[in-house]
Amino acid sequence: MIRHRVVNALRTAALVAVVVLAGSASVVSSAHADAPGLVPTPPMGFNDWNAYGCNVNATLIEDEANYIHSSGMQRDGYKYVNIDDCWLAPQRSATGALAPDPAKFPQGISAVARYVHHLGLKLGIYEDAGTETCAGYPGSFGHEVQDARTFASWGVDYVKYDQCNIPFSDFPGMTHAEVDTQLYTTMSRALKATGRPIVFSMCNGTDSTVYPWLWGARVSNLWRTTTDIRDNFASTVTNFMGTVGLWPYAHAGAFNDPDMLEIGNGGQTLTEYRSQFSLWSEMAAPLIAGTNLTTLSAADRAIYENRRVIAVDQDPLARQGRPIAYQDGTWVLSKPLQGGDHAVALFNSTSTPRVITTTAHAVGASPAPSYRLENLWGGAVTRSGGVISAFVPAEGTVMYRVTSLSAGDPAAARPATVLSLHPSAATITPGGSLAARLTLSDDGRVALHGATVTVTAPAGWSPQTTTLRLPRLAAGRSLSRRLAFTVTPTATGPLTTLRLHAGLRTRWGSSVRLRALGGASAAVTVSSPLTSPLQAENTTGAPARTGQLGSDLAITSAGTGITPLVSSSRGTFPASDAYAAIADPGAVTPTSTASVTVTAQTGSALRPDGTAGLIERDSLSAPGTPEGVSLSVSTGGTVTLAWASKGGTAVDRSVNAPTTVTLPVTLRLQRDGSTYNAAYSTDGGATWTAVATATVAASASSGDQDVGVFHASGVAGWRTTADFTDLTLS
Ligand code: GAL
């Protein structure tokens, strides 16, 4: 279900983005019924759902509140401490009132509210417009007035109102949007009637027919625009794309909500987490931390506490940044700020570093002889003649605060420069070489003199240090140089990512001193080639990489994988057939045994969708031919045997081993005609645990078959890596 929602959200988002880029969307201005002064800027705070799911309780809420208070996050602006689903007792009380689960909230919600208020913070709670919450607790349908009064009497300051289990059939002839408008208006009025200022947050963006942004500002302070966020970069991009085009609908007191922040949950890189924080701030989105703050690493906390970026989100103009340009997975956004500055985000959603360029004119800055660019992550301040550009890492975002400067010495500040490296991802053979191109642009108002660029390469590369002395570079010009490296593959493993770093020192204007002006780094993936008869296969539609070093194999790929069949209230969705593999064609006879050890897989139990293992089918190179049998381990540690029992093109059966494993795990498939016995071992093959026996259609297992190792990230556009060793056949 989630995958289908993601695809739909992407489609809608792409459409909306195109419409808005074309400038044809109309601005909706409406006065919403709630107190507009409550959240003149987007709410900031914490919500337990992403990190704790249904395991909410009073202690954890108070611990998180206490952390916000004592860590300094409160001074950064974090204020709302929000309780999500599952806080409720399963039944209403005799008087029909909502009651908290006595085990989770033994002193009641008002005691938690008192604690939170005592710290100077605000308390939020979760309810649902239907008969039950998404997790099956009593919903507010038909009880809106009573529930709103209960919340007010407890001291609740913020209500997140969900959209599960709405009895749409009770509203014949009405669309979901009409029913939602009615039910959310009822709760909005009920909250207002209590006389207590309560922020109203609509959580009905997962229903793609409700369009809450069209009417949300009249009844609420914020409304969800997308499906639930998850702790992976593809999900961040999906929710960003579902929201970026909706800028005309946001204004002070009424905001688009692309869901909570995942920073700290462990599933993404710091670069990816910084992108979420940048994009959410650029979109004037709520900054609600969906993580256990008390265990945050210093690096994750520094993201939540970047005051320069928070100031963009909390800017008093309360305008949502709008997309200025989109090309090939790169985005330029601009958000007007009070006082005339603009916050510009250069977002690279692709998996390779890109130079992203725009101009002061395009972002809406008032024309000036020069512009001050403040890098909101690095902090550097530079002077530009009008070009706004950066070499943006894969999945990264560079943010600048842009100020038009009317006068002053153009050489007084560092000129804006962009240094970029473009190494091609390559399959390196022993002693092979890699060509790279280094480009330096001077976007400032003064020339660079005596620039030196030093490029350093990691161990195993030659040369390790290259120093380039560059001629004078006039303002507004750029120059390129070619670099060549040779690589010793044994220093790298089957598939590794290595970094090249380039540092720039230069003088400018009349300055006599050499100054370091930042640098650039680029990741190069080095794949050692597969040796015959092994060959690469990929059915994901996204680029994949494979590598081999002796008996070690590695695959980096995206793809939704082979299993499971997804069943939900919305129906059963067929298994996909999207993975990358290293295949040994025709190697499996009707009576042979294959095994491989999966040694590592990127990901964690927090993002359990990736999978790696063994696969046998008639043809690994031809999707559309009968699916065969796969035995794999997920990033969550579940070993699964999946097979096509009827000879179809996708699996229709799967069995999980009863206990989860930690890597390394050896997987073994013993074939006897159409029957396959699956087992795994976590002690290097000394003892085996049976998983199940699969029988595939005779038509799909008649003769010799292909065997291979395969990997899929579990998400269509998100690439992860699996490592294997000792693929053997007997
Ligand atoms: C979802 C909602 C999530 C969380 C969950 C609780 O509908 O989008 O943010 O509140 O329900 O069951």
Side-chain angles (χ1 to χ4, degrees), residues 196-208:
R196 184 179 176 83
I198 298 177
V199 175
F200 189 39
S201 156
M202 303 204 302
C203 183
N204 50 3
T206 46
D207 182 333
S208 63

Side-chain angles (χ1 to χ4, degrees), residues 612-648:
L614 265 180
I615 182 165
E616 294 183 12
R617 65 191 290 185
D618 282 356
S619 172
L620 272 169
S621 60
T625 59
E627 183 66 88
V629 179
S630 77
L631 176 63
S632 61
V633 59
S634 74
T635 37
T638 303
V639 175
T640 302
L641 175 70
W643 69 101
S645 66
K646 304 187 189 81

Side-chain angles (χ1 to χ4, degrees), residues 166-392:
I166 300 212
F168 286 113
S169 54
D170 289 6
F171 300 85
M174 285 173 72
T175 64
H176 285 201
E178 287 163 351
V179 175
D180 269 26
T181 306
Q182 184 176 315
L183 296 181
Y184 282 78
T185 303
T186 304
M187 184 48 109
S188 172
R189 289 194 180 135
L191 290 170
K192 241 189 126 194
T194 67
R196 184 179 176 83
I198 298 177
V199 175
F200 189 39
S201 156
M202 303 204 302
C203 183
N204 50 3
T206 46
D207 182 333
S208 63
T209 65
V210 166
Y211 309 108
W213 49 89
L214 294 179
W215 51 276
R218 292 198 293 273
V219 296
S220 70
N221 301 105
L222 60 156
W223 49 88
R224 279 272 298 276
T225 49
T226 61
T227 188
D228 288 8
I229 192 101
R230 303 183 69 210
D231 188 17
N232 65 67
F233 183 67
S235 173
T236 305
V237 174
T238 299
N239 285 15
F240 161 71
M241 287 176 64
T243 311
V244 66
L246 304 176
W247 58 271
Y249 305 105
H251 52 85
F255 300 101
N256 289 302
D257 174 8
D259 206 359
M260 293 169 282
L261 299 167
E262 290 283 5
I263 301 146
N265 285 334
Q268 298 178 66
T269 64
L270 287 173
T271 302
E272 293 169 330
Y273 282 149
R274 277 187 209 112
S275 279
Q276 193 192 12
F277 203 75
S278 302
L279 297 171
W280 265 229
S281 297
E282 190 74 17
M283 295 192 295
L287 299 180
I288 305 286
T291 193
N292 179 357
L293 297 170
T294 68
T295 55
L296 269 190
S297 70
D300 286 333
R301 188 172 143 195
I303 299 177
Y304 280 113
E305 298 209 273
N306 183 330
R307 289 202 176 187
R308 288 184 287 252
V309 178
I310 293 173
V312 171
D313 183 74
Q314 295 293 305
D315 184 79
L317 266 193
R319 302 262 302 272
Q320 177 170 333
R322 70 189 181 95
I324 300 295
Y326 170 79
Q327 195 187 359
D328 244 358
T330 66
W331 296 79
V332 178
L333 272 70
S334 177
K335 182 181 198 286
L337 305 177
Q338 197 177 48
D341 288 359
H342 287 77
V344 174
L346 307 175
F347 171 44
N348 177 6
S349 73
T350 77
S351 50
T352 50
R354 298 281 180 89
V355 174
I356 305 178
T357 302
T358 185
T359 62
H361 175 72
V363 304
S366 51
S370 69
Y371 302 85
R372 178 184 189 270
L373 307 185
E374 180 184 11
N375 184 318
L376 300 188
W377 286 103
V381 174
T382 55
R383 186 82 38 109
S384 160
V387 171
I388 300 169
S389 179
F391 185 49
V392 187

Side-chain angles (χ1 to χ4, degrees), residues 58-151:
T59 310
L60 89 78
I61 294 294
E62 292 179 0
D63 285 352
E64 298 287 352
N66 203 24
Y67 183 86
I68 291 173
H69 180 71
S70 54
S71 66
M73 288 184 77
Q74 188 169 354
R75 283 194 297 280
D76 298 328
Y78 294 92
K79 183 157 82 178
Y80 292 94
V81 181
N82 295 349
I83 302 171
D84 210 281
D85 204 351
C86 307
W87 60 272
L88 288 147
Q91 307 295 336
R92 288 175 178 271
S93 75
T95 61
L98 290 174
D101 180 323
K104 293 174 176 169
F105 292 87
Q107 317 298 323
I109 301 297
S110 41
V112 180
R114 271 196 302 280
Y115 184 92
V116 167
H117 291 158
H118 168 73
L119 298 174
L121 298 167
K122 304 269 186 199
L123 186 72
I125 210 156
Y126 166 99
E127 244 299 354
D128 187 285
T131 52
E132 288 179 2
T133 71
C134 298
Y137 294 89
S140 284
F141 184 77
H143 296 267
E144 290 88 348
V145 171
Q146 183 179 22
D147 292 352
R149 286 189 186 140
T150 302
F151 295 147

